[in-house]
Amino acid sequence: MSTFKKNANSAAAAVSLSRRNLLVGSTGAIASVGLMGLAPLSIAAEEPKSALPDYASWKDENAVIVHSANTLETRRDAIGSGVVTPSNHLYVRNNLPAPGNEIVADPDAWELRIEGVNTPATLTLAELKKIGIESVTAVLQCSGNGRQFFTHGPGGTQWGVGAAGCVVWTGVPLRDVVAKLGGVKDGMEYITGTGGETLPAGLDPKTIMVERSIPTRALDQAILAWELNDEALPLTHGGPLRLVIPGYYGVNNVKYVKQVAFTESQTDAKIQASGYRIRDVGVKGAPDQPSMWEMPVKSWVTTPLEKAGSGRNMIHGVAFGGNNPLDKVEVSIDGGSNWLEARLLGPDMGRFAWRPFVLAIDLAPGEYRIVSRASDSEGNAQPQERTENERGYGNASWSDHGLSLTVS
Ligand SMILES: Nc1nc2c(c(=O)[nH]1)N[C@H]1C(S)=C(S)[C@@H](COP(=O)(O)O)O[C@H]1N2
Ligand SMILES: [Mo]
């Protein structure tokens, strides 16, 4: 018992600590605390429910947590037991304000520049649609998903489990487009995608632009997508056209993509050179540190949340292998002392998709710590503990992602 009590406490401590750090980190928050004479935690608890931003007003407000106008998270209990995350439940993360709706008014007219191939070209979406088409079901997950569990208080959105979803992308495989343009030029090591945001004037573009480089080994799985879950790709998720790299963290999936270049080296845009790099706490980002590219195996339980009745219960969750196929997922109701293999639900949508899972189990009244642990086809299992790192990236710890449950 003491093991899961301790786990539950440390997760709660992590949340309140990072919340405190958030307030401490913001002068405005401190000022208002002082003026109103309230304790920081009661301010946080009384924050009004934020409204959906205009560009995402079509989201289901009961399914998402609005962290800010640029960051919406899927609620843990809105992840559901289906393979595909409904588009109106899918999380949103914009590093820059979203472009105006006019860019999706005439999607077929959108232009994509392709460089670093033997015949560089500018192709419209209408032309891309004639080159080929494929659908892939893939997990989209932010690098900072699970940041909330880090205790050193990394800045950035305090994502819990819901900066992730599993969706169907439809578009043309990038390799087909490249083949049509004479193949990749010799010596090119990276695929560099550039986002179509209009950058605010007066700032060095390199410091704000969304431009990401990923190794050319991803060419086999890259797709230029114009549909999300069988509908025209909405602006919110990168319409009219998005570079999708299944198996890679969200940031590599460049929205409103305006250029794809095969390059000798990685872009020197800040989001690549020093952003999205794994390094020790207190260390600055630099190009020689690991970049947030391939995702590792991960799972978490979704329901029941907090309370359940005694007797038969269905413990639900989701599990995925990241860049490798998923092998299996186990569930523990005693904080990781004993494990039972869960049953994978729903159709297998392939290497990059997640599988909802369920464990049917009889629970007597009491306190439980429910955790899940997935492994991939290469024998990699989710670690018990997260890898501590400055920005709170890549949390796949099974211990952090558990749920404390009271059965009565
Ligand atoms: N052009 C562009 N692409 C982008 C971003 C962005 O701000 N601009 N954010 C990235 C990040 S950090 C993530 S996690 C995903 C989020 O995708 P979503 O908003 O469709 O969920 O998009 C990525 N692609
Ligand atoms: Mo992200």
Side-chain angles (χ1 to χ4, degrees):
M1 268 316 254
S2 66
T3 330
F4 26 106
K5 277 237 175 74
K6 213 164 85 205
N7 281 344
N9 287 344
S10 68
V15 174
S16 60
L17 182 72
S18 39
R19 188 188 273 163
R20 201 167 65 223
N21 284 355
L22 253 188
L23 287 170
V24 169
S26 147
T27 349
I30 288 176
S32 63
V33 169
L35 279 174
M36 296 166 68
L38 292 172
L41 281 179
S42 56
I43 289 252
E46 284 163 21
E47 264 169 31
K49 197 178 154 197
S50 328
L52 291 168
D54 281 350
Y55 73 92
S57 59
W58 55 277
K59 293 278 167 177
D60 177 348
E61 62 178 351
N62 296 312
V64 297
I65 303 160
V66 182
H67 288 285
S68 75
N70 286 332
T71 45
L72 315 185
E73 171 171 359
T74 311
R75 290 186 182 277
R76 191 165 188 142
D77 55 0
I79 288 173
S81 52
V83 181
V84 172
T85 307
S87 301
N88 64 351
H89 288 196
L90 184 63
Y91 84 101
V92 177
R93 165 38 165 158
N94 286 326
N95 298 62
L96 290 170
N101 240 319
E102 65 279 358
I103 71 165
V104 287
D106 181 8
D108 281 353
W110 181 261
E111 292 183 341
L112 175 72
R113 180 73 193 163
I114 316 238
E115 291 281 353
V117 288
N118 287 312
T119 324
T122 301
L123 299 172
T124 62
L125 178 47
E127 289 167 325
L128 287 169
K129 285 179 175 173
K130 292 184 191 150
I131 297 176
I133 186 162
E134 219 171 75
S135 287
V136 59
T137 308
V139 172
L140 181 71
Q141 180 185 215
C142 184
S143 309
N145 198 28
R147 177 178 289 137
Q148 170 180 112
F149 306 112
F150 286 81
T151 52
H152 67 284
T157 306
Q158 298 301 302
W159 303 111
V161 299
C166 181
V167 294
V168 183
W169 302 106
T170 298
V172 59
L174 181 59
R175 60 177 188 276
D176 291 357
V177 178
V178 164
K180 187 149 177 98
L181 301 179
V184 175
K185 260 172 66 180
D186 283 348
M188 301 299 155
E189 307 263 336
Y190 298 94
I191 307 169
T192 299
T194 311
E197 284 105 339
T198 306
L199 303 177
L203 292 168
D204 175 0
K206 293 281 179 196
T207 63
I208 44 175
M209 71 193 303
V210 176
E211 186 170 87
R212 287 285 300 174
S213 300
I214 56 155
T216 47
R217 61 175 178 266
L219 180 55
D220 264 357
Q221 62 213 61
I223 182 167
L224 289 162
W226 54 80
E227 273 183 22
L228 169 69
N229 292 344
D230 300 335
E231 289 176 337
L233 182 57
L235 174 77
T236 325
H237 294 292
L241 187 68
R242 182 170 193 171
L243 176 63
V244 172
I245 318 285
Y248 280 59
Y249 279 105
V251 68
N252 304 293
N253 295 256
V254 176
K255 306 201 248 190
Y256 356 95
V257 64
K258 66 174 188 194
Q259 176 171 286
V260 171
F262 292 86
T263 53
E264 275 172 33
S265 42
Q266 297 176 36
T267 168
D268 57 359
K270 187 171 171 236
I271 196 171
Q272 180 80 26
S274 59
Y276 295 85
R277 299 275 174 181
I278 292 274
R279 71 267 191 182
D280 287 346
V281 174
V283 173
K284 283 200 162 141
D288 60 341
Q289 302 153 350
S291 193
M292 299 308 288
W293 284 333
E294 288 97 342
M295 293 188 287
V297 60
K298 187 169 174 182
S299 73
W300 59 86
V301 285
T302 52
T303 53
L305 277 182
E306 293 171 25
K307 288 181 171 57
S310 63
R312 177 107 317 193
N313 270 278
M314 299 293 160
I315 297 172
H316 287 273
V318 290
F320 54 102
N323 196 46
N324 292 322
L326 177 72
D327 179 29
K328 64 168 182 189
V329 55
E330 300 161 295
V331 170
S332 169
I333 60 167
D334 56 11
S337 301
N338 297 284
W339 297 92
L340 291 164
E341 192 161 340
R343 187 163 57 88
L344 299 179
L345 283 176
D348 180 352
M349 301 297 283
R351 168 177 163 200
F352 303 114
W354 71 25
R355 295 293 295 272
F357 66 81
V358 68
L359 180 73
I361 193 164
D362 291 320
L363 297 176
E367 300 294 320
Y368 296 86
R369 179 72 184 166
I370 318 277
V371 289
S372 66
R373 178 176 71 183
S375 7
D376 72 12
S377 61
E378 306 295 297
N380 303 301
Q382 252 180 287
Q384 177 167 359
E385 305 300 342
R386 60 183 178 266
T387 305
E388 300 294 347
N389 68 92
E390 170 65 15
R391 299 291 294 113
Y393 289 140
N395 193 348
S397 148
W398 60 250
S399 167
D400 281 356
H401 290 81
L403 278 176
S404 296
L405 183 67
T406 303
V407 173
S408 49

